[in-house]
Amino acid sequence: MLTRESLQSGHYLDALELPVEHRWSQDLIDASLAGTLSARPDSDDDLWIFGYGSLMWNPLLDFDRRAFATLHGWHRSFALRSIAGRGSAERPGRMLGLEPGGSTQGVALRLAPSHRDDELRMVWRREMVGGAYRPTWARVTFGNGTQTQAIAFVVDPTRPLFERDTSVATVAPVIHRAHGSFGSNADYVFQLEAALHECGLRDPYIDALAAELRRLRAEA
C-alpha cells in the first residue's frame, strides 16, 4: 500500500515498478508544479486539491479541512493504461482520470498553509510520476453552495498511455485481469466504490463497473 513515508523517501518509485521510459524526471515534475501555480486563476489564500480516486481514502496529505464537493465540467474515466502499480506491462490495467463533460462528486482537501509547499511537492510526486495527468484549475461547489477553484488531475490525451474506449464493457475485463505491485486493479475500483458510498455519494459509472467486476469474479 502506498504510504507517506514511501513518498518522502523515494521508495515509492521502486515499489511502483514503472519502466524508466515512462517516468518523469524530478525537473519535469517541478516544472509542472511551478506552471500550475503560476496559472492560478485567483488570489485566494486557500489552496484546495480535488480528490476523486485514491485521494478520497488514502490522501497522505497534511490538510486542515476536508469537504464534499462537486467538480464541474469533468467526469470519472478509466482512460489511462496502467503498466505499474495496479497493472503490469504483461497484463496492463486501467488508471482512473477525469475527462471533459458532466460533473464529479468527490472531496476537496484544503492544504494547511504552514506545510503547503511540502504537501504540493508530495502530491505532485505521487500523481505526476509518469506525466499522465494535466493538473488543472477547476471550479468546485461545496454542499452549502459556495464555490472555489481547486487543482484536479485530469487526463492528458496526448500521453502514450491514454486509452479512448472507457466503456464498462471494455475496461471491466481488463481491470479484472490486472494486478501489480500495489495490488489488484479490481480492488482499486471496490475501494473507490466504498469510499463514495461512505461519503453518501454515487457515481453510476463506478457502480456499473464494480457490479460487472463482481460478476466476472463470480464466473472465474
Side-chain angles (χ1 to χ4, degrees):
M1 182 177 178
L2 180 62
T3 66
R4 184 176 176 90
E5 290 72 23
S6 68
L7 279 172
Q8 289 173 323
S9 68
H11 292 160
Y12 163 59
L13 274 176
D14 296 330
L16 185 63
E17 298 180 348
L18 183 65
V20 173
E21 62 269 23
H22 288 283
R23 292 187 189 183
W24 265 24
S25 68
Q26 190 62 51
D27 286 345
L28 283 174
I29 293 172
D30 291 344
S32 170
L33 173 55
T36 301
L37 293 178
S38 69
R40 189 174 183 177
D42 59 49
S43 57
D44 191 343
D45 286 340
D46 290 342
L47 197 153
W48 296 84
I49 302 288
F50 182 75
Y52 59 91
S54 61
L55 285 172
M56 293 186 66
W57 73 83
N58 189 31
L60 305 179
L61 292 173
D62 183 4
F63 54 89
D64 60 8
R65 183 179 170 193
R66 179 181 185 270
F68 302 149
T70 299
L71 176 72
H72 302 279
W74 301 91
H75 66 275
R76 286 183 179 88
S77 178
F78 278 90
L80 297 168
R81 190 164 71 258
S82 175
I83 58 173
R86 298 280 183 170
S88 65
E90 296 75 22
R91 190 169 287 183
R94 289 293 185 96
M95 291 189 298
L96 183 65
L98 295 169
E99 291 198 277
S103 62
T104 300
Q105 291 183 308
V107 297
L109 307 173
R110 187 175 68 181
L111 300 186
S114 58
H115 305 294
R116 183 178 298 166
D117 291 346
D118 289 340
E119 299 310 305
L120 283 169
R121 283 192 290 269
M122 184 89 67
V123 74
W124 247 256
R125 187 177 301 141
R126 170 181 178 161
E127 302 296 334
M128 295 302 294
V129 61
Y133 297 107
R134 179 163 48 84
T136 299
W137 292 97
R139 180 169 52 92
V140 299
T141 302
F142 299 111
N144 63 4
T146 61
Q147 296 184 335
T148 191
Q149 293 285 331
I151 297 172
F153 291 88
V154 309
V155 169
D156 184 345
T158 69
R159 301 297 295 164
L161 297 179
F162 173 69
E163 297 282 358
R164 192 166 300 281
D165 186 350
T166 63
S167 65
V168 169
T170 295
V171 304
V174 173
I175 291 174
H176 172 65
R177 293 188 297 266
H179 190 283
S181 57
F182 288 173
S184 81
N185 206 176
D187 283 346
Y188 177 97
V189 178
F190 297 139
Q191 285 177 296
L192 174 56
E193 178 192 43
L196 285 166
H197 292 180
E198 286 172 7
C199 294
L201 307 176
R202 310 290 300 197
D203 186 318
Y205 176 65
I206 301 303
D207 286 343
L209 180 54
E212 179 62 9
L213 287 168
R214 289 190 180 95
R215 187 189 70 80
L216 291 171
R217 278 192 171 183
E219 291 183 351

